[in-house]
Amino acid sequence: MREVGEEISRIQSVVLRSQQPDGSWRFCLESSPTTDAHMIILLRTLGIDDEQLMDGLTARITALQHENGAWKLYPDEAEGNLSTTVDCYYALLLSRRYEKNVPRMARARAFIRSKGGLGEANLLTKFATALAGQYKWPAHFLVPVEIALLPPRSPISFYDFVGYARVHLAPMMIVADRKYVKATADTPDLSDLHVNPSVAPGVYPHRMMERFMRDGQNFLAAIHEHVVRLPFLPGLLHELSLRRLEQFMLARVEADGTLYNYSTSTFFMIFALLARGYSPRDPLIVKAMSGLRESLYETAQGPHLQLATSAVWDTALLSHALQQSGLPASHPAIQRANRYLLQKQQHTFGDWKIRNPAGTPGGWGFSHYNTMNPDIDDTTAALRALRSQSRLDKTAAAAWKRGLDWLLSMQNDDGGWPAFEKNTDSLLISSLPIEGADTVSTDPSSVDLTGRTLEFLGRYAGYKESDAPVQKAIRWLLAHQEKDGSWYGRWGIAYLYGTWAALTGMMAVGVSPDHPAVQKAVDWLTRQQNADGGWGESCHSDEKKTYVPLGASTPSQTAWALDALIAVHSRPTPAIERGVAYLSRQSLATDWTTSYPTGGGRPGGTYFAYHSYRWIWPLIALSHYQRKYVSAS
C-alpha cells in the first residue's frame, strides 16, 4: 500500500527533525495541572520572586479549566476531578492573580463543595493543604516513622513499599510526624472548602476508618513488635527514625537535585527538609528547585511541570521505531541516539538489589537524570534499540549482555515481571487503608511488563517457548487473562495495552496463533474496533477495572491493537486493513484524540499524555505491517 509507505516517511521526518543535539528525544510527558499547582506553592512558600514563571503557570492552569469550574484528569472524565480542582483553586489564589469573587474561582469553589469539599480530596491534596495550615493533620499518620529503622530483611519494613512509593512516603511521614505548617502572607483561607465543618477533618476520609481499625491496627502492631526489639533507648527511637528518613531521601537525590526525578516526591522533600530545620536558601533546596525548573516543558498553554522527564524512554523507543521502519544502525540519527542510551545505562546498585541480591547492574531508567532507579520497560526498550549495534560493536555488545542479565534476574518468583523491584508484593501493604495502596504501594507482576519482556526475549534474544523463564511467564499470563479474552495493562490504558503486550509477547516466543487464549483475545480485540478503523479506550477503564470504550480512536491505542493482530495473523484481515487505513492518515490529525492520555500512572489519580506516543507506536505498527505483508510478498 502506497499510503503506508507515505505515512512511514512522514513520521520519520517528524521524528528526525525533533532529535536533540545529544542524540536524545525529549517530548513532553503531560499529566494533570496538579504539578503546576505544586510549582506555584513552592515559589510562594520559598519566597522566590519569579512573576514571569508565575504568569505562565497560572495561564496554563486557567486555560485547562472547564466551564463548570472544574479541572479534569482526562477529557472524558465525568464533570471533573475533585482533588485536581482543589489543587488548582488553591494555587490560583496563592498566585495573587485571582481573588475568590472572580467568576472562575466561584465556579471552582461550587464544584468542590458539590463533590463533598476538601474532606473528600485525595491524600496528596490533603497533605498539600495541611502544609499550609488549611487542613488538620491527623493525630498519627498510618505509617509511623519508626518503620524506617527496621532492616529490609525484617518481616515488615519500609522496603515492603515499592521505590516510587517510598520516595513519596518518606517526606510525607516527616511532615505528618512534625505536623508541619508553612503558611505565608499569601496563603489563602480555604475554610469555605470544608462542607461539614462540624466534623473534624483529618488526612483519612471517614470511609477508610473501618479499614484502619482492621488492617491499619494490625500493621501498626506488627511494626511495634519489631521496633521494640531494636537496641536503642525508647527516647532515641523517634528522632533516630526521622534522621533515617532524612538520610533515605538525601541518598536518592539525583544530580539535578530532584528526588528520583519525580516532581511530586521533590515537592514533598522540600517541605520535609524545611520541617527538619533546613533554610529555604539551603543549597539542597535551591538545587531541588533548579531541577524542577529543568523539568518544565513549554506547552501551547504555558509551562508545564512534568511529573518526570521521559528522555531515556522516548529515545529508546524512537531509535527502535526508526530502525523497524528501515533506518540502519549506521544511520547518523541512530548512532547519536544509541550513544546517548549507552551513556545512560546504570552501573551502580540501587534499591532493586535488596530483593535481587544475585543481580548485577545493567538496566536503564526513565529519565535523563535517573541513575539509581532502573526499570524493566526502559531496559527492554533500550536493548531493542541497541540490538543491531551490539552485533557490530564490542562496547554495545557488552552493554547489551549486562542489560539482558539484569532483566532476567528481575523475573518474579510467580513468573511475571514487575516494573521496578522483584517480589515486592506484600499483601499487608497493598491492603492498608491508604488510597491507592492496592495499586501504587507495591510492585507485583503485570501483564504489560511480562508481555513486553517476552516480546523482547523472543524477537531479540533468541528465547523460545521451551525455555524455563518463558514457560513460567506464559503460565502467569494465561492465568491472568480476563474472562472476555482481554488482559489488563498496568502502565498503559488499559485493556488494549495489556492485550497487545500479552499477544505480541506470546507470539514472539512461539505460542501458536491457534491457542484458545490467543483466539479469544483476537476476537475481543476485533470486536472493539471503531467504525473509522481505529481503536480507543477511556481512562475510565483503569479506574473501573473493566473495558470502557472512548467513543473515538487514538493513534497509540490503534497501533497497539493493530500490532497485536499483525503478530497473530499470517495474512492481513479486514480488521487489520481498516486499522492500517486509519493509521495511514493519523500524522495529519490535530484534534484531541492525538493528545488523549494513554499512559497509566496512579489509577484514578495520574494519567499521562506522552507527546511521543502518536509517532512511536504508529511507526512501529505500520512498519511491522509493511515488513510482514508488503515487503515479503
Side-chain angles (χ1 to χ4, degrees):
M1 290 176 64
R2 188 184 65 208
E3 294 83 359
V4 173
E6 290 174 349
E7 183 66 5
I8 288 173
S9 295
R10 281 196 295 267
I11 296 175
Q12 286 176 335
S13 296
V14 171
V15 170
L16 291 172
R17 287 197 305 269
S18 58
Q19 189 176 29
Q20 300 297 310
D22 67 355
S24 68
W25 279 276
R26 303 188 185 212
F27 285 88
C28 182
L29 179 68
E30 185 177 359
S31 57
S32 81
T34 286
T35 52
D36 305 330
H38 283 174
M39 193 65 168
I40 290 174
I41 293 169
L42 287 172
L43 291 173
R44 287 288 182 247
T45 300
L46 299 174
I48 298 174
D49 184 17
D50 189 341
E51 299 307 308
Q52 182 177 354
L53 176 56
M54 188 70 71
D55 284 340
L57 292 167
T58 55
R60 182 172 191 273
I61 290 175
T62 54
L64 296 175
Q65 189 179 20
H66 292 263
E67 284 298 318
N68 66 346
W71 282 264
K72 295 184 176 184
L73 295 178
Y74 48 91
D76 57 320
E77 186 177 27
E79 296 185 78
N81 186 268
L82 170 62
S83 297
T84 304
T85 302
V86 172
D87 296 332
C88 293
Y89 178 82
Y90 167 35
L92 289 179
L93 290 176
L94 188 60
S95 74
R96 299 197 298 258
R97 301 305 191 268
Y98 294 92
E99 301 290 340
K100 284 188 176 185
N101 59 359
V102 172
R104 72 166 62 249
M105 304 303 287
R107 292 195 300 273
R109 184 168 58 252
F111 174 83
I112 293 168
R113 292 182 60 85
S114 74
K115 297 301 176 184
L118 183 49
E120 294 298 318
N122 67 30
L123 190 66
L124 296 183
T125 296
K126 288 174 181 173
F127 263 72
T129 51
L131 287 165
Q134 299 302 305
Y135 200 82
K136 184 180 178 181
W137 287 114
H140 301 285
F141 187 43
L142 179 59
V143 185
V145 296
E146 284 79 10
I147 195 175
L149 297 179
L150 299 177
R153 294 296 180 185
S154 172
I156 186 169
S157 85
F158 192 42
Y159 291 87
D160 288 331
F161 294 93
V162 69
Y164 59 80
R166 290 195 300 271
V167 295
H168 285 84
L169 273 174
M172 293 170 74
M173 289 160 64
I174 290 173
V175 295
D177 180 82
R178 299 291 85 185
K179 297 178 176 56
Y180 183 70
V181 172
K182 180 69 173 178
T184 71
D186 297 307
T187 299
D189 177 12
L190 301 181
S191 60
D192 52 359
L193 300 186
H194 295 292
V195 171
N196 190 357
S198 63
V199 178
V203 167
Y204 310 114
H206 301 297
R207 63 181 178 275
M208 288 189 175
M209 290 311 296
E210 182 179 342
R211 284 185 61 197
F212 175 80
M213 296 305 294
R214 182 185 70 244
D215 303 317
Q217 294 293 350
N218 293 338
F219 178 64
L220 295 176
I223 293 174
H224 177 75
E225 176 187 348
H226 295 285
V227 167
V228 295
R229 301 175 185 172
L230 295 173
F232 301 108
L233 294 174
L236 296 177
L237 283 174
H238 200 74
E239 177 55 30
L240 184 59
S241 302
L242 290 169
R243 283 169 49 197
R244 183 69 59 82
L245 288 171
E246 179 185 335
Q247 292 165 355
F248 172 88
M249 291 190 306
L250 297 182
R252 287 155 185 81
V253 171
E254 289 286 9
D256 67 341
T258 62
L259 180 55
Y260 257 29
N261 202 236
Y262 299 137
S263 68
T264 45
S265 59
T266 305
F267 171 82
F268 287 111
M269 179 188 73
I270 290 171
F271 278 99
L273 293 176
L274 294 174
R276 293 290 291 159
Y278 286 70
S279 163
R281 301 293 175 260
D282 188 279
L284 283 170
I285 293 178
V286 172
K287 187 67 180 293
M289 288 299 295
S290 173
L292 292 180
R293 285 179 181 274
E294 284 193 54
S295 297
L296 291 167
Y297 196 101
E298 193 63 40
T299 71
Q301 298 88 7
H304 173 49
L305 177 58
Q306 299 172 95
L307 195 150
T309 56
S310 56
V312 175
W313 179 240
D314 286 340
T315 303
L317 290 175
L318 284 165
S319 174
H320 166 65
L322 287 170
Q323 291 178 74
Q324 290 294 291
S325 72
L327 267 64
S330 59
H331 189 283
I334 303 302
Q335 287 288 300
R336 289 193 297 268
N338 289 350
R339 278 196 296 271
Y340 174 84
L341 290 174
L342 288 170
Q343 292 168 4
K344 293 303 174 184
Q345 187 175 30
Q346 298 185 15
H347 301 281
T348 58
F349 291 101
D351 287 348
W352 57 267
K353 179 71 172 176
I354 293 169
R355 296 185 185 276
N356 182 17
T360 55
W364 278 263
F366 183 73
S367 304
H368 179 72
Y369 284 106
N370 188 326
T371 63
M372 62 186 85
N373 187 33
D375 66 87
I376 301 302
D377 238 357
D378 279 281
T379 298
T380 61
L383 291 173
R384 286 185 190 91
L386 292 167
R387 184 59 182 131
S388 294
Q389 188 171 336
S390 71
R391 293 169 172 167
L392 306 171
D393 178 91
K394 289 184 179 180
T395 300
W400 200 88
K401 179 64 165 59
R402 286 194 300 271
L404 175 61
D405 289 344
W406 181 82
L407 177 73
L408 291 170
S409 77
M410 289 294 292
Q411 187 174 22
N412 282 334
D413 291 346
D414 63 11
W417 267 270
F420 295 95
E421 296 178 7
K422 184 176 181 177
N423 295 331
T424 307
D425 55 354
S426 165
L427 289 176
L428 177 59
I429 296 298
S430 62
S431 64
L432 285 176
I434 301 176
E435 63 190 51
D438 58 334
T439 54
V440 298
S441 291
T442 59
D443 192 17
S445 297
S446 70
V447 166
D448 43 315
L449 271 302
T450 303
R452 296 300 293 146
T453 301
L454 282 182
E455 191 274 346
F456 162 74
L457 291 175
R459 288 192 63 176
Y460 301 95
Y463 279 72
K464 302 296 182 185
E465 188 178 6
S466 57
D467 291 313
V470 172
Q471 287 182 347
K472 288 176 62 178
I474 292 172
R475 283 196 298 270
W476 186 90
L477 278 178
L478 293 176
H480 287 80
Q481 187 175 25
E482 304 290 330
K483 290 181 180 179
D484 63 6
S486 67
W487 278 273
Y488 168 74
R490 165 68 178 86
W491 299 98
I493 307 301
Y495 293 90
L496 290 175
Y497 189 68
T499 305
W500 160 69
L503 284 177
T504 53
M506 290 193 295
M507 292 301 97
V509 294
V511 174
S512 171
D514 297 323
H515 191 291
V518 173
Q519 287 301 306
K520 193 173 183 180
V522 167
D523 178 65
W524 179 84
L525 265 182
T526 305
R527 285 186 283 109
Q528 310 314 321
Q529 190 172 28
N530 293 327
D532 64 3
W535 281 262
E537 180 178 359
S538 171
C539 292
H540 280 301
S541 291
D542 195 46
E543 295 187 56
K544 296 183 177 182
K545 295 299 182 287
T546 185
Y547 180 77
V548 178
L550 179 60
S553 300
T554 70
S556 56
Q557 292 171 327
T558 298
W560 295 333
L562 181 61
D563 197 39
L565 295 178
I566 292 169
V568 172
H569 293 293
S570 59
R571 280 179 278 194
T573 65
I576 289 175
E577 297 290 14
R578 290 196 300 271
V580 167
Y582 171 86
L583 280 190
S584 293
R585 58 182 183 272
Q586 77 86 25
S587 68
L588 302 176
T590 56
D591 62 17
W592 65 274
T593 63
T594 62
S595 59
Y596 186 83
T598 59
R602 182 165 55 93
T606 304
Y607 296 102
F608 297 112
Y610 287 84
H611 288 206
S612 59
Y613 273 19
R614 68 168 301 187
W615 312 118
I616 292 168
W617 305 115
L619 183 56
I620 289 175
L622 291 174
S623 298
H624 286 169
Y625 172 89
Q626 187 176 57
R627 180 180 300 179
K628 186 169 186 177
Y629 303 132
V630 180
S631 300
S633 61

